[in-house]
Each structure stands twice: as structure tokens, then as C-alpha cells.
Amino acid sequence: MYAITVKDLVKKFGDFTAVDNLSFNIKRGEVFGLLGPNGAGKTTTISMLSTMLKPTSGKASVNGFDIRTNQDEVRKSIGIVFQDQSLDEELTAYENMDFHGRLYRIPKSIRQKKIMELMKLVELDDKKDNLVKIYSGGMRRRLEIARGLLHEPEVLFLDEPTLGLDPQTRNHLWDYIEALNKEKGITIILTTHYMDEADKLCHRIGIVDRGKIIAMDTAENLKNDIGGDVITIVSSEREELYSAIRSLSEIKSVEIHDSSITIGLQNAEKHVAQIVNTASEKAITIESLFIHKPTLEDVFLHFTGRTIREEEASAKDKMRMMRKVRRR
Ligand SMILES: Nc1ncnc2c1ncn2[C@@H]1O[C@H](COP(=O)(O)OP(=O)(O)O)[C@@H](O)[C@H]1O
Ligand SMILES: [Mg+2]
């Protein structure tokens, strides 16, 4: 039985297609990640599945309820932590929880007990009476997760759960998320543009780019698709290098990128000398070379020809441009 089914889901804003024909299923008890750069369509997808946004076309069900025709049932059976903070700063942590509990009509006696249990779970029980405005970013995130669990949802949506948090706090949150899944069996669908987050938490990952899922599998299988190890060579003579080495029998794949070429092969350390020799015979200059086990970044590069980091940079550049324009 699936917790979530998605078939040919589309969302258009005017003539721009933000979510382009997505199809996937998520099993009960699974942690499923949508990994992709800014603007890939992750939040839009989550918004449709949680009935905050109407799909343009396509079908989806959550906990067996149709997101178009059974919105109330969908909402009752899910918890959501939004990408943007949604706590009331002027209330205490406890009051934020209590307010949410009332919205879901949880009777007072159960509500009090449940709030304390969840605040203990995210280690905020001793700070329950502090105003949220003095909470740190990590504490707010933990409180939002606790709040999302108050009505005991079977499915939890986490939109960029560790966005902007420091590495230590992120690690801490990852532990909670793992524990929720393992100990309570909650199905989790999360979005992230952090590769390490998807790698650490998700049983399966759908890599999204420009509204499409371009690859979907376990992190391990996605990395294996590249073919063993990766050698990255930075050189200005990439075309020449490509022609020189492409016929070497050990090499499984060679791709040319903006400033480097990447080579996929097994046991890279055994073959790197041969590759360097071949380059030097052809008088090709190598600026730098490194060998590594493939990461999800390599997987993204493999399928799109770009890195997620380049995407991030370009998104930031765009924002800077917009600010400049506005200032004029
Ligand atoms: N309400 C909206 N109106 C117009 N365009 C939108 C709206 N919401 C999102 N978009 C666009 O849809 C694309 C996907 O956005 P989003 O789902 O937020 O991406 P992600 O969460 O992966 O960063 C972006 O190009 C964004 O600008
Ligand atoms: Mg988003």
C-alpha cells in the first residue's frame, strides 16, 4: 500500500510550467526526498500534495485520499513543515503548539499530554514557556517539526528542513528526522537542495530539475549508475583530452563540462597514471586532477550537465541583479 501516489502531475503558472508531469509512488514508512536546485519545482510539488495549491492537471493521492476531491481528509492525515518559518513570534513555544492543537480540535486533556511528549522529543520541554522570538533557528525548526506531529499524522512533509542552519544543528535535526521515521514509522517526504541531506536521510531520491524528475532511485544506485569512481580533470584543452582518452578500455564514461571533464571508471587509482601519460604524450596541459567516490553532485552533473552549486550561484546572481535594478 502506498502512502503517496502521483501520476502525471502538472502545475503551470501562466505559460510557465513549474511542475512538469511528475509521477512517483512513496511506500508507507519510506523517507523519500526531492532533491534539486532552487526553482526546480520542489515547493510547488509539496504544496499540491498538501492541498495548498491546485494542480493544473494530473492525479495524486495521500493516505488513499484524492488531493482534488478529498482535501479535508488529506489535510487531517498529514503534517507539514513549510520552507518559510510559520511560528507566531509573540507566543511562547507551548502556546504555538496549543494553538495548533485547538485548530485540529484535539481535546484539552490529550492536547496537554501530547504537547509535552513532543516537546520532550525535540528537547525543548525546559524551554516551552519562552517566547519564540528568542528561539534560535534550530530551536524554531525543532518546534515546527513537533507542531507538525501534534495531530499524529501518518505522513510528514518537510520542505527544506535544514535550510540556512549551521552544520551542527543540521546534524542534530537529521537525528530527529531519522528517529521519527524509525521509531514512529512515519512516512516522510522531504525536499532539499543539500546533497548530503538527501544522501543521509532518504531511502529513495527523486532528482528534480526544471520541473521534471530526471532520475529516481536509492542514493547508492544513483551513484553506481555513474560507473564506479570519478576522476575530475580541470583543463583548458578539454576537447583534445576527450579525444585522447575516450578510447581507453577501462573508462566507462567521459563527459565534458564548462571547465573540467569527468571520467567514470572502476578502480580509478590503478588507471590514473595511464590517463595522465596519454595526456602528456599529446602535450595536453592538466591544471588539476582529483579522484573521488561519486556523490549525488556527480549524479546531478551526469544527468543535467550542470552542478547544483552552479545553479545556486546563478540564482543568487539573479537576486543580486534584481536588487540592483530595484535600487535604480
Ligand atoms: N505563485 C507563483 N507564481 C509564479 N511562479 C511561481 C509561483 N510559485 C513558484 N513559481 C515558480 O515556479 C518555479 C518553481 O518554484 P518552487 O517550487 O518554489 O521551486 P523550489 O522549491 O524547487 O526552489 C520557480 O521558477 C518559481 O519562480
Ligand atoms: Mg522550495
Side-chain angles (χ1 to χ4, degrees):
M1 177 51 181
Y2 290 115
I4 295 178
T5 64
V6 178
K7 183 92 179 89
D8 304 328
L9 199 62
V10 174
K11 181 68 192 182
K12 294 188 181 185
F13 295 110
D15 51 14
F16 173 74
T17 306
V19 171
D20 196 356
N21 236 14
L22 291 198
S23 297
F24 57 86
N25 295 325
I26 303 178
K27 282 175 272 184
R28 289 204 181 280
E30 193 171 26
V31 181
F32 181 82
L34 289 172
L35 170 70
N38 270 332
K42 304 181 296 295
T43 297
T44 306
T45 304
I46 293 261
S47 302
M48 287 190 282
L49 295 180
S50 56
T51 77
M52 304 288 149
L53 200 61
K54 238 178 122 151
T56 305
S57 61
K59 275 187 172 175
S61 73
V62 177
N63 289 315
F65 304 115
D66 190 305
I67 59 163
R68 283 169 181 270
T69 56
N70 235 330
Q71 300 196 344
D72 285 347
E73 294 301 323
V74 170
R75 284 184 203 173
K76 272 185 223 157
S77 70
I78 60 171
I80 317 171
V81 177
F82 296 100
Q83 180 172 339
D84 299 315
Q85 209 240 113
S86 62
L87 295 164
D88 192 326
E89 302 251 319
E90 302 297 331
L91 297 181
T92 66
Y94 188 92
E95 287 164 346
N96 267 282
M97 293 286 281
D98 195 54
F99 183 70
H100 183 87
R102 283 166 198 248
L103 280 183
Y104 279 87
R105 300 179 199 282
I106 303 168
K108 188 172 181 186
S109 55
I110 300 176
R111 202 164 70 223
Q112 286 172 335
K113 201 168 141 256
K114 196 80 196 142
I115 292 174
M116 285 317 294
E117 181 195 317
L118 285 165
M119 299 225 28
K120 229 176 237 145
L121 177 80
V122 295
E123 295 176 275
L124 290 172
D125 47 324
D126 55 339
K127 306 206 173 58
K128 70 181 173 58
D129 296 322
N130 289 356
L131 290 179
V132 166
K133 66 178 169 198
I134 65 166
Y135 265 33
S136 70
M139 288 161 71
R140 285 167 193 233
R141 225 49 186 149
R142 272 144 61 195
L143 181 61
E144 287 182 307
I145 292 175
R147 186 181 61 174
L149 294 170
L150 194 55
H151 54 287
E152 303 192 320
E154 288 169 52
V155 175
L156 182 65
F157 290 85
L158 299 172
D159 196 5
E160 304 265 3
T162 67
L163 186 71
L165 300 176
D166 62 84
Q168 204 187 342
T169 311
R170 294 178 65 214
N171 271 310
H172 205 169
L173 265 172
W174 290 348
D175 291 343
Y176 288 126
I177 295 170
E178 265 183 343
L180 280 177
N181 171 253
K182 283 212 184 94
E183 286 157 31
K184 299 197 176 244
I186 295 175
T187 307
I188 296 176
I189 170 165
L190 68 88
T191 77
T192 186
H193 67 275
Y194 296 122
M195 272 123 341
D196 53 349
E197 183 158 288
D199 211 343
K200 172 93 169 58
L201 290 179
C202 300
H203 300 140
R204 266 187 326 136
I205 297 166
I207 298 187
V208 273
D209 186 40
R210 296 176 182 163
K212 287 193 163 68
I213 289 193
I214 52 170
M216 186 162 50
D217 212 324
T218 61
E220 196 181 339
N221 287 346
L222 287 169
K223 292 181 210 167
N224 283 340
D225 275 353
I226 300 182
D229 300 337
V230 179
I231 299 179
T232 302
I233 300 178
V234 179
S235 168
S236 54
E237 295 160 288
R238 292 178 295 284
E239 298 285 345
E240 294 82 351
L241 187 58
Y242 179 83
S243 330
I245 63 170
R246 59 186 291 194
S247 56
L248 296 179
S249 59
E250 298 78 13
I251 290 177
K252 279 204 182 167
S253 67
V254 190
E255 291 166 14
I256 304 186
H257 309 295
D258 286 351
S259 60
S260 65
I261 75 171
T262 53
I263 302 164
L265 75 176
Q266 303 286 351
N267 305 319
E269 62 286 352
K270 283 198 186 142
H271 306 298
V272 68
Q274 191 188 0
I275 292 170
V276 173
N277 287 342
T278 306
S280 75
E281 275 162 22
K282 303 259 151 94
I284 296 166
T285 310
I286 290 178
E287 282 158 41
S288 63
L289 177 154
F290 53 98
I291 302 175
H292 58 112
K293 298 283 162 202
T295 63
L296 290 174
E297 181 77 72
D298 298 308
V299 176
F300 189 80
L301 185 64
H302 174 76
F303 283 107
T304 66
R306 306 183 316 282
T307 64
I308 289 189
R309 267 178 255 134
E310 279 165 18
E311 287 290 303
E312 288 301 299
S314 67
K316 268 187 211 135
D317 287 346
K318 260 183 245 154
M319 273 171 54
R320 235 174 277 139
M321 285 293 292
M322 273 164 57
R323 257 183 255 137
K324 266 187 202 156
V325 172
R326 247 183 262 142
R327 247 183 252 144
R328 266 185 215 145

